Amino acid sequence: SLANQFSRSNSLFFDSQLSVETIQAACVALGHSFRERIYSPAITVWMFVGQVLSSDQSCRDAVSRLNVWRVAHGMEPASTDTSSYVEARQRLPEELLLGLARSTGKDSVSRTHANWLWKNRVVKVVDGSTLTMPDTPDNQREYPQSKSQKPGVGFPIVRIVMIFALATGAALEIALGKYAGKQVGETSLLRTLLSTILPGEILLADRYYATFRLFAAAWQNDFDLVCRAHHLRKIDFRSGIKLGVLDQIVSYPKPVQRPYWMTIEEYKAAPDFIFVRHLRYQVSQPGFRTRQIVVATTLLNSLEYTVDDIANLYRQRWLIETDIRSLKTHMKMEHLRCKSPA
């Protein structure tokens, strides 16, 4: 992995992963002006990402790596004082780093080999997680600790929702919010990212996301949704349009009264009902009791998308759990180091 390769390097390393032209173009697009100096935006980004991955994680180690890189390129070493690097890092717009992460993710999707796609379609996977950070007044104000913890004994906590590419495991999008409160749940955060799901793509999710609103968004925006049926929805395979054994098409009606989480405009624009396919299959694993899984999906064509096809696809949803865990581990994100939200 890149993290392992970086750990064996004592230089910047990411100069070969993110080109100067790519970073400068992103700066221009954001209207971020800069001067050519030792700590240019490109140099600072390379150092910053490397600092996060470094086992040392100190600014002194980052500057030391810079000097190794400068000597290797025939330049004089920079001062070992870290203040200039700290100031350069603070000058970087947050949108720059987010934009670079998105562009590299999109690039990985565009270069995905056709054999890695599912039935020649791009599949994106969504899931949520949480991160903690140092217990400072600024962090507590922006991202309060859990209400179940007594003041002074808990850490500020942020909720994140991430979208990954199933084929490559690349992180494509992220939304952040408070751990608790209105409009900061996982489904609310996902709604801020739905515009990034393109027509013809498939969104793979767990049962928490199996809501009328998300199914309606899939129909309205011409992408497909595959998720486990919501645990509160009663599934009756004796009704609906039969496609096969334990395979049916049913309708999800629009809520009679507008839920608080839907705006008036969204409620009016939503269809009166949507067609959703339910299918059930068994998961058998030696040593464990057999489980039955009910999947809800907008993939209605049972000839093109068989029960086995969808079961195999949903089984791969677990990969996002390992993707997020791997990212948090390699980027040392389980407990953030930031003293302030900025």
Side-chain angles (χ1 to χ4, degrees), residues 78-110:
S79 169
T80 56
D81 182 29
T82 61
S83 57
S84 295
Y85 165 58
V86 172
E87 292 172 0
R89 199 176 64 175
Q90 291 174 340
R91 285 195 296 268
L92 291 178
E94 289 182 36
E95 295 82 0
L96 173 63
L97 299 175
L98 184 58
L100 290 172
R102 284 173 169 158
S103 64
T104 53
K106 289 179 181 177
D107 183 56
S108 74
V109 171
S110 66

Side-chain angles (χ1 to χ4, degrees), residues 134-188:
D135 188 12
T136 65
D138 289 341
N139 286 342
Q140 282 284 11
R141 271 193 299 272
E142 188 72 20
Y143 302 109
Q145 67 185 55
S146 172
K147 293 182 179 179
S148 63
Q149 296 174 314
K150 294 182 179 180
V153 296
F155 288 105
I157 186 169
V158 57
R159 185 188 301 280
I160 61 172
V161 168
M162 301 189 69
I163 295 178
F164 286 78
L166 179 64
T168 64
L172 304 177
E173 296 289 339
I174 185 171
L176 297 86
K178 297 178 181 179
Y179 177 69
K182 289 187 177 181
Q183 303 299 312
V184 293
E186 288 186 21
T187 54
S188 296

Side-chain angles (χ1 to χ4, degrees), residues 22-62:
T22 298
I23 296 175
Q24 288 184 345
C27 288
V28 172
L30 290 172
H32 175 61
S33 58
F34 58 90
R35 291 181 296 170
E36 286 299 334
R37 57 181 96 187
I38 292 179
Y39 295 102
S40 65
I43 294 290
T44 308
V45 168
W46 296 338
M47 294 175 66
F48 197 0
V49 180
Q51 182 183 357
V52 174
L53 286 175
S54 169
S55 58
D56 188 304
Q57 287 198 314
S58 68
C59 292
R60 184 178 292 105
D61 179 69

Side-chain angles (χ1 to χ4, degrees), residues 246-265:
L246 302 178
D247 189 2
Q248 64 177 181
I249 295 177
V250 299
S251 64
Y252 282 15
K254 181 167 70 172
V256 177
Q257 293 185 333
R258 178 178 66 86
Y260 74 90
W261 36 261
M262 290 185 76
T263 65
I264 296 178
E265 292 75 17

Side-chain angles (χ1 to χ4, degrees), residues 159-228:
R159 185 188 301 280
I160 61 172
V161 168
M162 301 189 69
I163 295 178
F164 286 78
L166 179 64
T168 64
L172 304 177
E173 296 289 339
I174 185 171
L176 297 86
K178 297 178 181 179
Y179 177 69
K182 289 187 177 181
Q183 303 299 312
V184 293
E186 288 186 21
T187 54
S188 296
L189 292 177
L190 174 60
R191 288 199 296 272
T192 66
L193 304 176
L194 284 181
S195 61
T196 66
I197 310 299
L198 304 180
E201 295 181 340
I202 297 175
L203 183 63
L204 189 58
D206 66 15
R207 60 170 48 168
Y208 187 77
Y209 297 91
T211 63
F212 172 87
R213 188 174 189 179
L214 187 54
F215 276 104
W219 279 100
Q220 291 170 318
N221 295 284
D222 200 26
F223 66 84
D224 281 301
L225 178 64
V226 176
C227 55
R228 193 171 177 182

Side-chain angles (χ1 to χ4, degrees), residues 9-16 20 43 46 65-77:
S9 169
N10 60 356
S11 187
L12 293 186
F13 181 74
F14 282 93
D15 60 337
S16 62
V20 174
I43 294 290
W46 296 338
R65 289 177 180 273
L66 168 66
N67 283 333
V68 172
W69 181 86
R70 287 180 62 86
V71 170
H73 287 75
M75 293 179 281
E76 292 290 326

